[in-house]
Amino acid sequence: MGLALGAGAARGMAHLGVLQVLEEAQIPVHLIAGSSIGSVFGALYACGSDLKMLEKLAVELKSSQFIDLTVPRIGLIKGQKVEALLNLLTKKMTFDELRIPFYAVAVDIEKGEKVVINKGSVAEAVRASIAIPGIFHPKRLHGRVLVDGAVLERIPVSVLREQGAEVIIAVDVKYGGTENQELKAQNIFDIMLHAIDLLDREVVKHKVLEADVIIQPDLAHIGPTRFDLAAECIALGREAALDALPSIKQVLEQRRNTDRN
């Protein structure tokens, strides 16, 4: 069973609520792939992090603790603070040390191709996956200049298929709820992220997400930079996952019956 965690900036805090419900319901997760904020929570789950502790941290975390503004030559945020935080949370683990296979999705901005990272430092891979163009400095890793995986694959279902997943749960934290919800832009980050959302929405309209179960928390009213609403996002993630549990159990049971036959 594979779990694909998608991009969505602050809305991605809902991934934590989804993971909590899956763990409480003892839904098996054999491999995880994540793009952007999805890679953050995918990595932490693969590390074996305490999800309740992460919830407390997410609610109390201030943006000043992971944002380091700089002169915007190649990005508004250097990314050194967030990488230091990732190193702390992942205990500087490498991919070989994870309890569950994990794949971080980034994009080589120079070659214009998707890059799936599953070797070396987990924190560095996640830092590359969250490097939203124009906002974060790109991450130089393994001889490549890498940016946010959502540029080419917002929810990395195909990565899990390539790795042999037979059942896939996809978590979409961008487009649940009212599609035309208005958002008030409060800063340059809101404007840039909302513009990316609008462009991506047009692509999504014509693309079918080939997952067995899709979990879509109702997050349309949450602005892309509202990390101060982490508690609400987590609660909405839990609600959506609880609603999806019967479908998940049904799919898993069907798969077991197929294997028996």
Side-chain angles (χ1 to χ4, degrees):
M1 205 286 283
L3 183 63
L5 303 180
R11 295 168 183 163
M13 291 291 178
H15 286 310
L16 184 49
V18 172
L19 289 168
Q20 289 175 348
V21 169
L22 295 181
E23 186 170 82
E24 291 162 8
Q26 298 183 327
I27 300 297
V29 177
H30 302 115
L31 61 163
I32 306 174
S35 280
S36 200
I37 188 76
S39 74
V40 174
F41 289 105
L44 295 179
Y45 190 69
C47 285
S49 299
D50 184 308
L51 298 181
K52 287 298 182 183
M53 181 277 290
L54 288 179
E55 179 177 2
K56 184 177 180 181
L57 176 64
V59 171
E60 295 179 354
L61 193 65
K62 306 298 182 185
S63 60
S64 60
Q65 294 174 277
F66 61 90
I67 290 180
D68 42 7
L69 294 174
T70 185
V71 177
R73 188 171 66 87
I74 55 174
L76 295 167
I77 301 172
K78 287 186 288 186
Q80 293 174 351
K81 278 189 175 183
V82 74
E83 188 165 334
L85 179 61
L86 289 168
N87 267 308
L88 178 65
L89 293 175
T90 61
K91 302 176 184 177
K92 296 187 177 181
M93 283 187 180
T94 64
F95 281 84
D96 292 338
E97 296 173 301
L98 297 176
R99 68 185 182 99
I100 300 172
F102 166 64
Y103 305 88
V105 180
V107 170
D108 184 324
I109 196 63
E110 294 180 329
K111 295 183 179 180
E113 61 186 27
K114 181 177 72 178
V115 178
V116 179
I117 311 170
N118 67 334
K119 294 180 181 178
S121 163
V122 175
E124 287 191 318
V126 173
R127 166 64 180 85
S129 183
I130 65 170
I132 302 169
I135 293 182
F136 278 95
H137 279 206
K139 174 68 178 177
R140 293 185 178 273
L141 187 65
H142 304 155
R144 294 173 177 264
V145 180
L146 301 178
V147 299
D148 196 314
V151 169
L152 289 180
E153 188 155 15
R154 185 173 60 86
I155 305 175
V157 171
S158 69
V159 174
L160 296 175
R161 292 288 184 207
E162 291 162 6
Q163 297 301 325
E166 297 173 340
V167 174
I168 295 177
I169 299 173
V171 186
D172 179 2
V173 293
K174 257 194 177 182
Y175 298 120
T178 306
E179 182 177 332
N180 296 320
Q181 180 82 31
E182 290 187 8
L183 292 175
K184 292 184 178 180
Q186 299 179 348
N187 52 55
I188 188 173
F189 300 108
D190 279 341
I191 293 171
M192 294 176 72
L193 288 168
H194 194 47
I196 292 170
D197 279 355
L198 292 173
L199 289 169
D200 187 55
R201 187 173 292 160
E202 290 303 307
V203 175
V204 170
K205 282 181 180 178
H206 306 289
K207 187 174 182 179
V208 177
L209 193 60
E210 296 180 350
D212 297 280
V213 179
I214 302 173
I215 300 175
Q216 287 185 305
D218 185 358
L219 300 161
H221 62 289
I222 305 288
T225 62
R226 295 300 304 272
F227 287 94
D228 58 311
L229 298 179
E232 183 177 354
C233 290
I234 293 167
L236 290 169
R238 286 188 62 88
E239 181 181 320
L242 286 168
D243 288 343
L245 269 183
S247 296
I248 294 170
K249 291 178 178 179
Q250 181 180 17
V251 168
L252 291 176
E253 184 60 30
Q254 289 172 346
R255 183 69 206 183
R256 291 189 192 102
N257 291 336
T258 299
D259 290 343
R260 290 191 195 104
N261 296 329

